[in-house]
Amino acid sequence: MTMPLMRPKRKNPVLRTRQMNLPPWQRTRIALGITAAAAQGRFELQVCDDCGAVQYPPREACHKCLSPRLHWREQTGDGELLAVSTLHHSNDLFFRERLPWRLGLVHLDAGPTLMVHLHGEVPGEAPARVRVGARLDRAGQAVLIGFPQDGSAHMADDKMLREMTSDPKFRKVLVTDGKTAVGQAVVRALVAAGADIVWVGHAEPWKNFGGLEDITALAQVSLVPLDLTNERSVSQLAGAIGGKVDIVVNTAEVHRTFGIGARRGTDVARAEMDINYFGLLRLAQEFGPALKGRSADGATSATAWVNLLSVYALSNFPPHGTFSASKAAAHSLAQCLRAEMRPAGIRVINVYPGPIDDEWNQHMPPPKVAPSALANAIVKALRDGVEDVYPGDVAQEWLERWRDDPKVLERELATNGG
C-alpha cells in the first residue's frame, strides 16, 4: 500500500534550487509510436496485419514473418511479472538523484516480454499478475510502467509515478480567468484534487461576475489582477507569484460567432487573437522561465502548463470561423511552447474540447461539454501525465474524422457546418 503524500516542508530559501536532469530521451522514429499513444493516455504496440504477431521493441518489419505491414494497436497490458530488480547505482544523472529505483521483467499475455519501471505497490517477488501502462516521463518520451492489478486509494502518491505525472496535490496553481463557467469549474476541481493554493486571474475586478463569490469563499483560492491583453499586468503578476507557481492553467479566451463575411471590420477578430493567441504568448514569455527554473524543486516542483484550445483548431468551423482561426494560431504556438519547455521537464497539456455548454454555443445542438466535465478532464490529464486531451463526444468524433482524412472533414464542415 502506498503511503499518502504528506505536505512538504517549506523550502529553505538559502539553499540552491536543483536543476532538472532529464532521463534518457533518445528514441528511434519507429519507437515514437509508443510516445504518440502515451501522449493521449493509451498503451499501444505494433501488431502485424499478416500474421497477427504483437511485437516489442518496435521494428520496421515483423519479427515472425518479416511483413512490413505493422500497425499500432491498443493493448490491455495484462501480464505476468517474471523478475524484479532494484537499482542502487546508476551513471545516469536523472536516476542517480532518485535511487533506489525498481525495475521488472514482464511477460504480456499478448506475447512480448518487456522491461518496465515498477510501481511501489507491485509485489517485491515474482511471479505476480501486473498491468503494464505507458506514461510520458519528464523528457516527454514514453516509458512502460508495471502497475498492480488492484491498487490502493493513494496509488498516485507513489514517488516514481509522481515523477511521471503532474498531480496538482499540494501544488500551487494559476488559473488565468475566473469569470467564466469553465474557469470557475476548473478552480473547484483543482481544490478538490488537493491543490495547495489556486490563484485566479481577474481582468476586471470592478465587475461583479456571477460565481466569483462562491470560489473565493474557498480557503485555497485567491483572486489576483491579470489582464492578458496588457503586457504590464502579466509582467507584474509574474514578478509577484511567478517563482511560486507550479502549474499554469490558461482558461482565458474570447469566443464570438460568425466567420468572415457576416461582420464588417476586424475588431472582433483582433479581440479573439489578442486573448487566444497573443495572451498565451505574453503569459508564456513571463511565466515560462520561472516554471523552467523550478522543474526539479522537490516533491511539489513546477510541473505543467495547460492550454484550453478547441477542436476547431484542427479544422475551421465556418459558423465560428475567426474564433477557429485564433485557436489554430494558439495550437501552433502551444506546440512551440511544448518544445521549449520540454528540456526543463515541464509538460504542456493541450485541451481540445468540442462545443462547451456556454453562452456562445446556445444554438448548437447537444451533445455539448459541461464546464464541470471539462474541468474534470483537465485534472485527470494532470494526474495521468498526458499531453493531448479531447473532452466530449463531438471532439472525439472530429478527431477521428480529422485523422482519417482532413480534407474530407474540411469539405463536410464547409458544406453543412458540421
Side-chain angles (χ1 to χ4, degrees):
M1 179 180 293
T2 305
M3 292 298 294
L5 180 69
M6 305 304 292
R7 185 181 298 277
K9 296 180 180 179
R10 296 191 65 178
K11 180 184 175 182
N12 185 343
V14 177
L15 298 180
R16 183 179 66 89
T17 300
R18 279 177 50 193
Q19 299 300 299
M20 173 58 70
N21 289 305
L22 293 180
W25 54 270
Q26 294 83 359
R27 301 290 191 278
T28 65
R29 186 177 185 275
I30 294 297
L32 289 177
I34 299 180
T35 296
Q40 295 185 32
R42 301 190 305 275
F43 170 42
E44 294 185 353
L45 293 177
Q46 286 177 312
V47 179
C48 178
D49 286 351
D50 292 330
C51 71
V54 181
Q55 68 177 16
Y56 180 87
R59 302 176 180 89
E60 298 278 358
C62 175
H63 71 288
K64 281 192 174 181
C65 69
L66 299 182
S67 169
R69 295 177 2 111
L70 299 169
H71 288 91
W72 294 94
R73 298 285 184 266
E74 189 168 4
Q75 306 295 317
T76 64
D78 295 330
E80 188 84 8
L81 180 66
L82 304 179
V84 177
S85 179
T86 300
L87 194 67
H88 292 282
H89 173 76
S90 175
N91 289 328
D92 183 87
L93 291 176
F94 177 86
F95 291 106
R96 202 169 169 180
E97 295 172 344
R98 292 160 176 84
L99 297 174
W101 195 272
R102 298 174 71 224
L103 303 171
L105 194 65
V106 176
H107 179 71
L108 294 180
D109 295 345
T113 299
L114 320 170
M115 180 69 74
V116 302
H117 305 284
L118 288 181
H119 189 279
E121 294 187 15
V122 172
E125 295 183 0
R129 294 293 295 176
V130 296
R131 175 179 52 84
V132 175
R135 294 289 188 276
L136 299 179
D137 63 12
R138 297 303 293 272
Q141 298 289 5
V143 294
L144 303 182
I145 300 176
F147 295 95
Q149 288 284 2
D150 300 306
S152 71
H154 299 288
M155 276 189 64
D157 291 341
D158 179 73
K159 182 179 178 182
M160 180 274 298
L161 189 59
R162 196 167 168 92
E163 285 283 353
M164 308 291 180
T165 63
S166 305
D167 197 316
K169 186 175 183 179
F170 294 142
R171 286 192 161 103
K172 300 175 176 62
V173 187
L174 170 64
V175 178
T176 58
D177 187 4
K179 71 176 181 291
T180 65
V182 170
Q184 292 166 15
V186 169
V187 171
R188 286 190 288 268
L190 289 167
V191 170
D196 191 40
I197 297 175
V198 181
W199 290 290
V200 181
H202 193 2
E204 299 167 314
W206 59 88
K207 290 185 179 180
N208 184 19
F209 290 99
L212 273 179
E213 292 182 357
D214 294 335
I215 62 172
T216 53
L218 300 171
Q220 298 89 338
V221 175
S222 296
L223 281 183
V224 292
L226 178 60
D227 181 358
L228 292 190
T229 67
N230 187 321
E231 190 169 333
R232 176 175 293 181
S233 172
V234 181
S235 178
Q236 287 178 343
L237 185 62
I241 66 171
K244 304 173 186 177
V245 173
D246 304 317
I247 300 173
V248 172
V249 183
N250 183 22
T251 58
E253 66 176 18
V254 171
H255 187 172
R256 299 293 183 267
T257 54
F258 301 122
I260 297 172
R263 70 164 75 92
R264 296 181 60 83
T266 60
D267 290 348
V268 173
R270 284 178 184 274
E272 289 172 330
M273 287 293 290
D274 204 16
I275 289 289
N276 301 345
Y277 174 78
F278 287 109
L280 171 58
L281 179 59
R282 296 181 187 103
L283 200 65
Q285 288 175 335
E286 297 296 337
F287 280 87
L291 261 69
K292 289 193 288 186
R294 290 189 48 255
S295 59
D297 195 14
T300 55
S301 61
T303 184
W305 185 296
V306 182
N307 297 309
L308 177 58
L309 301 177
S310 171
V311 76
Y312 301 164
L314 302 183
S315 188
N316 191 283
F317 185 48
H320 298 245
T322 56
F323 171 75
S324 301
S326 69
K327 288 296 187 178
H331 163 71
S332 181
L333 187 65
Q335 291 177 320
C336 175
L337 178 64
R338 179 178 287 162
E340 292 191 5
M341 299 293 266
R342 183 168 292 155
I346 300 295
R347 178 159 295 133
V348 174
I349 301 172
N350 291 331
V351 185
Y352 303 87
I356 301 170
D357 192 7
D358 61 14
E359 63 271 24
W360 296 107
N361 291 293
Q362 294 180 51
H363 299 297
M364 290 283 290
K368 292 185 277 191
V369 182
S372 58
L374 178 54
N376 291 335
I378 290 174
V379 171
K380 187 177 187 299
L382 289 167
R383 284 175 166 165
D384 292 347
V386 302
E387 281 189 345
D388 296 317
V389 189
Y390 297 85
D393 295 337
V394 173
Q396 290 292 324
E397 181 191 356
W398 279 39
L399 175 64
E400 291 303 318
R401 291 159 67 187
W402 180 74
R403 284 175 172 166
D404 183 56
D405 194 325
K407 194 65 179 177
V408 170
L409 176 60
E410 177 192 340
R411 291 297 188 190
E412 289 175 342
L413 297 175
T415 301
N416 55 33

